[in-house]
Amino acid sequence: MADYDKPLPALTDENRPFWEACRAGVLKLQKCECGHLRYPIARFCPRCLSSVFEWTPVSGRGTVFSYVVFHNAYHPGFKAALPYNAALIQLEEGPRMYSNVVGVPNDAVKIGDAVEVTFDPVTPEITIPRFKPR
């Protein structure tokens, strides 16, 4: 954990509940009073513009919507991880989330693969949601 040298999110009042839930092993998204689940985190609902929401647990299941495999390190912290994938996951509940597919070789990742969330504690404060095949 102490050797994690990739960029990390800045914790804010707005995103802290998301990261605290991840640290607890639960994927939570904002659910507007209109019922719309949203990600990325935002102050206002993109559907109705309301600022009223609650943090709602979601299943953590989805499919690989798209992905790319990086062979160049665009930040020095990623050099040791090359090659690595960056995937856009379509969650069953609707929102899409950028992450990584872990537990399989990069050439085994395919669009449409069924995945589920797994949590990677990279620092004492930050646990990153990643996805593994299901």
Side-chain angles (χ1 to χ4, degrees):
M1 229 189 278
D3 294 351
Y4 194 81
D5 57 356
K6 296 178 180 85
L8 291 167
L11 291 177
T12 65
D13 290 341
E14 193 171 67
N15 69 23
R16 190 173 311 278
F18 174 82
W19 295 110
E20 288 175 350
C22 288
R23 194 170 63 234
V26 178
L27 189 60
K28 287 187 176 183
L29 301 181
Q30 293 172 305
K31 184 175 183 179
C32 179
E33 64 182 344
C34 77
H36 180 68
L37 277 171
R38 66 180 183 253
Y39 188 86
I41 297 161
R43 287 191 179 150
F44 301 100
C45 176
R47 182 172 290 163
C48 74
L49 302 179
S50 173
S51 63
V52 178
F53 69 90
E54 63 184 4
W55 287 98
T56 303
V58 294
S59 69
R61 293 185 305 269
T63 57
V64 176
F65 184 82
S66 186
Y67 73 98
V68 64
V69 176
F70 285 93
H71 295 272
N72 293 310
Y74 297 100
H75 181 281
F78 289 94
K79 188 170 184 166
L82 292 174
Y84 66 91
N85 68 70
L88 182 57
I89 306 300
Q90 176 77 59
L91 297 173
E92 284 184 352
E93 292 83 0
R96 294 180 184 156
M97 174 180 281
Y98 283 103
S99 186
N100 310 102
V101 177
V102 297
V104 294
N106 289 320
D107 61 359
V109 178
K110 302 291 182 247
I111 292 172
D113 283 353
V115 292
E116 63 186 356
V117 74
T118 185
F119 296 95
D120 184 5
V122 297
T123 72
E125 298 83 25
I126 300 295
T127 297
I128 297 177
R130 303 197 195 274
F131 289 82
K132 64 182 180 181
R134 62 178 165 101

